[in-house]
Amino acid sequence: MDTIASLFSFITYPVSWVIVQFHKLYGAIFGDDTGWAWGLSIVSLVVLIRICLIPLFVKQIKSTRNMQVLQPKMKAIQERYKSDKQRQSEEMMKLYKETGTNPLSSCLPILAQSPFFFALYHVLSAIASGKTIGVINQPLLDSARQAHIFGAPLAAKFTDSASEVTALGASLTDVRVVTAVMIVMMSASQFFTQRQLMTKNVDLTVKTPYMQQQKMLMYIFPLIFAVMGINFPVGVLVYWLTTNVWTMGQQMYVINQNPTPGSKAQDQYLGRLLKSVTAHGEVRGRTKRNTVKRIVSKGSDRNDIERKFIAGLSKLGLAAQEDGTVIKSDTALAEAEGGAAQKRQQPKRQTKAKRQSGAAQQGAAKEADSPESEPRTSLEKQDAPQDDKPKPAGKPASGSSRQAKSGQRKGPQRPKHPSKK
């Protein structure tokens, strides 16, 4: 670690200068030799660096979302050019260029922060060794060595021996308890940051290998921090714990205010937005208007969550406009009520047994209503036409049509052909 830190010694001077300037401010409040003055100086250094990295963080968010959207296309390219790695790489680069996506953008905040992290480690290692470094002269070095955070010196590590800790004016038990608690908090904050990203801010409609990789990193990163943390000085643990908490809070803000389309966070955000519009009758805030504007511009490409939001506006008699505002619309209300009425009028689905019994009942009713099944009255029997036709010889004449054999047509019948006698 010392060798890696020495590679970033060129940035040691500005890092030490920033820490000293903050120490002057907090030293006037808490005292020059207190752990609060030096600890808050490190925290302020983190905040200053992270503020400067906000533009990179925005690029990281956009790159991560673009990578999620491109995962199905990337998988198709890999399957199509499975045997031609060169063509596969060319098609991937072409896809990145067309969509304006940079795969390295998701790592930019960490890469940009690394030099400051190793420079701080180099400064604290010099303090532990009793060496002046950067703008930290001998009086400031003595002050920093006397500073303790909950009984642990800034330059002490979990792996230090009892003699090394005693030289810094502390006990081994205090150092190990404080460093262990800080390592656990650092790993837990890293895990929670990654977990809320996976559970709330991922498009659930797209299942890609990228999501599986993120799930693996959710468990791997905290373990890496836990293993590396035992070799970090207390001051570096303060730095890394502060940056993890900052990242977690920054990510919570982004998830709540600008969630990934199709994610659980977007469903919750649009639900809150719909309640706000219901209460005030308008879209309040530029960010919210931009959200509605993006949804309107998508047209038929909206996801189910966005369609649900537009339908909720229609039920209120409101229609979203291209500029992100909403207006009263009788047409939208009528369409919403018409759709609801049509949905209510749909008959319930019947089982097969009920459909068969209903068909049998309808068949019986038709048979009962048919003219042939109605009973004939006595008058109708008297009015029936008699068979006046001559009968063939050798056969008695039939009395009436009532005595006709079953299957023969009632009423006057044609004489049989002589060949059929």
Side-chain angles (χ1 to χ4, degrees), residues 60-89:
Q60 179 190 24
I61 294 174
K62 292 181 179 179
S63 177
T64 302
R65 291 185 180 178
N66 289 339
M67 289 295 291
Q68 291 174 354
V69 173
L70 293 179
Q71 283 301 311
K73 296 182 179 179
M74 293 169 61
K75 188 175 180 180
I77 292 175
Q78 291 173 353
E79 292 293 332
R80 184 174 182 181
Y81 304 103
K82 188 185 304 182
S83 58
D84 191 351
K85 297 298 182 182
Q86 182 178 357
R87 182 65 184 277
Q88 186 182 118
S89 301

Side-chain angles (χ1 to χ4, degrees), residues 133-145:
I133 186 170
V135 298
I136 298 179
N137 51 25
Q138 190 63 42
L140 290 173
L141 177 63
D142 296 337
S143 175
R145 288 175 65 87

Side-chain angles (χ1 to χ4, degrees), residues 144-158 160-179 234:
R145 288 175 65 87
Q146 295 176 15
H148 291 66
I149 297 177
F150 300 109
L154 287 177
K157 296 180 287 188
F158 184 88
D160 285 348
S161 62
S163 58
E164 291 174 335
V165 173
T166 303
L168 294 173
S171 67
L172 184 63
T173 303
D174 292 341
V175 170
R176 292 195 171 176
V177 169
V178 171
T179 53
V234 173

Side-chain angles (χ1 to χ4, degrees), residues 20-233:
V20 169
Q21 300 308 311
F22 281 120
H23 175 260
K24 290 180 181 179
L25 174 63
Y26 295 118
I29 301 174
F30 301 103
D32 291 337
D33 301 335
T34 60
W36 286 104
W38 285 100
L40 289 176
S41 299
I42 297 173
V43 171
S44 300
L45 172 67
V46 175
V47 173
L48 178 63
I49 293 173
R50 294 309 300 266
I51 291 175
C52 295
L53 293 179
I54 286 178
L56 294 180
F57 180 74
V58 174
K59 287 186 177 181
Q60 179 190 24
I61 294 174
K62 292 181 179 179
S63 177
T64 302
R65 291 185 180 178
N66 289 339
M67 289 295 291
Q68 291 174 354
V69 173
L70 293 179
Q71 283 301 311
K73 296 182 179 179
M74 293 169 61
K75 188 175 180 180
I77 292 175
Q78 291 173 353
E79 292 293 332
R80 184 174 182 181
Y81 304 103
K82 188 185 304 182
S83 58
D84 191 351
K85 297 298 182 182
Q86 182 178 357
R87 182 65 184 277
Q88 186 182 118
S89 301
E90 292 176 356
E91 292 296 327
M92 287 287 190
M93 296 303 296
K94 183 179 179 181
L95 180 63
Y96 293 149
K97 186 177 181 180
E98 290 176 353
T99 57
T101 304
N102 185 1
L104 297 178
S105 297
S106 58
C107 303
L108 284 178
I110 296 177
L111 295 176
Q113 194 177 178
S114 297
F116 299 96
F117 167 77
F118 288 112
L120 178 63
Y121 183 89
H122 194 51
V123 170
L124 293 175
S125 296
I127 292 174
S129 303
K131 300 177 181 178
T132 58
I133 186 170
V135 298
I136 298 179
N137 51 25
Q138 190 63 42
L140 290 173
L141 177 63
D142 296 337
S143 175
R145 288 175 65 87
Q146 295 176 15
H148 291 66
I149 297 177
F150 300 109
L154 287 177
K157 296 180 287 188
F158 184 88
T159 55
D160 285 348
S161 62
S163 58
E164 291 174 335
V165 173
T166 303
L168 294 173
S171 67
L172 184 63
T173 303
D174 292 341
V175 170
R176 292 195 171 176
V177 169
V178 171
T179 53
V181 170
M182 295 182 71
I183 290 171
V184 170
M185 293 176 63
M186 183 177 64
S187 301
S189 60
Q190 178 69 33
F191 175 79
F192 183 79
T193 301
Q194 194 70 17
R195 186 176 184 275
Q196 72 173 350
L197 178 65
M198 291 302 302
T199 57
K200 291 185 178 181
N201 208 35
V202 173
D203 188 355
L204 301 176
T205 60
V206 180
K207 304 294 183 181
T208 62
Y210 178 78
M211 295 177 62
Q212 300 298 328
Q213 294 173 6
Q214 292 296 107
K215 286 182 180 180
M216 291 176 61
L217 294 177
M218 181 173 65
Y219 296 98
I220 292 175
F221 274 159
L223 292 176
I224 293 175
F225 277 99
V227 173
M228 294 177 62
I230 61 176
N231 296 311
F232 290 165

Side-chain angles (χ1 to χ4, degrees), residues 105-414:
S105 297
S106 58
C107 303
L108 284 178
I110 296 177
L111 295 176
Q113 194 177 178
S114 297
F116 299 96
F117 167 77
F118 288 112
L120 178 63
Y121 183 89
H122 194 51
V123 170
L124 293 175
S125 296
I127 292 174
S129 303
K131 300 177 181 178
T132 58
I133 186 170
V135 298
I136 298 179
N137 51 25
Q138 190 63 42
L140 290 173
L141 177 63
D142 296 337
S143 175
R145 288 175 65 87
Q146 295 176 15
H148 291 66
I149 297 177
F150 300 109
L154 287 177
K157 296 180 287 188
F158 184 88
T159 55
D160 285 348
S161 62
S163 58
E164 291 174 335
V165 173
T166 303
L168 294 173
S171 67
L172 184 63
T173 303
D174 292 341
V175 170
R176 292 195 171 176
V177 169
V178 171
T179 53
V181 170
M182 295 182 71
I183 290 171
V184 170
M185 293 176 63
M186 183 177 64
S187 301
S189 60
Q190 178 69 33
F191 175 79
F192 183 79
T193 301
Q194 194 70 17
R195 186 176 184 275
Q196 72 173 350
L197 178 65
M198 291 302 302
T199 57
K200 291 185 178 181
N201 208 35
V202 173
D203 188 355
L204 301 176
T205 60
V206 180
K207 304 294 183 181
T208 62
Y210 178 78
M211 295 177 62
Q212 300 298 328
Q213 294 173 6
Q214 292 296 107
K215 286 182 180 180
M216 291 176 61
L217 294 177
M218 181 173 65
Y219 296 98
I220 292 175
F221 274 159
L223 292 176
I224 293 175
F225 277 99
V227 173
M228 294 177 62
I230 61 176
N231 296 311
F232 290 165
V234 173
V236 174
L237 291 177
V238 171
Y239 175 93
W240 209 250
L241 177 60
T242 304
T243 193
N244 280 359
V245 173
W246 177 280
T247 302
M248 183 173 61
Q250 194 175 45
Q251 194 176 80
M252 288 178 64
Y253 176 81
V254 171
I255 290 174
N256 289 329
Q257 300 299 324
N258 190 18
T260 300
S263 64
K264 182 179 179 182
Q266 189 193 33
D267 190 14
Q268 296 173 350
Y269 175 76
L270 293 182
R272 295 193 302 269
L273 180 56
L274 186 60
K275 288 182 180 179
S276 175
V277 175
T278 304
H280 303 100
E282 61 179 356
V283 181
R284 292 191 170 186
R286 185 177 65 180
T287 303
K288 295 179 179 178
R289 285 195 295 270
N290 289 336
T291 300
V292 177
K293 184 178 178 179
R294 285 195 298 269
I295 294 175
V296 173
S297 63
K298 286 185 177 181
S300 59
D301 294 333
R302 302 184 190 116
N303 57 44
D304 293 338
I305 298 173
E306 294 164 347
R307 293 190 190 99
K308 177 182 174 183
F309 173 73
I310 296 296
L313 291 177
S314 299
K315 290 180 181 179
L316 298 174
L318 300 173
Q321 303 300 301
E322 294 183 355
D323 59 352
T325 60
V326 293
I327 60 172
K328 290 285 184 180
S329 175
D330 296 334
T331 305
L333 181 60
E335 290 178 355
E337 292 178 349
Q342 184 178 4
K343 192 174 182 180
R344 287 195 300 268
Q345 291 175 0
Q346 292 179 353
K348 293 184 177 180
R349 187 182 183 89
Q350 295 181 346
T351 62
K352 184 176 180 180
K354 289 184 178 181
R355 292 196 299 269
Q356 290 177 350
S357 62
Q361 292 176 0
Q362 290 179 0
K366 287 181 179 180
E367 291 178 359
D369 294 338
S370 62
E372 295 181 358
S373 62
E374 293 180 359
R376 300 177 67 87
T377 60
S378 58
L379 292 175
E380 290 174 345
K381 292 178 182 178
Q382 294 175 2
D383 294 339
Q386 301 295 326
D387 190 5
D388 297 331
K389 301 291 182 180
K391 301 298 179 183
K395 290 188 179 181
S398 59
S400 66
S401 61
R402 286 178 301 172
Q403 297 176 352
K405 295 180 181 180
S406 61
Q408 291 182 349
R409 187 175 58 185
K410 295 180 181 181
Q413 299 183 10
R414 292 186 299 176

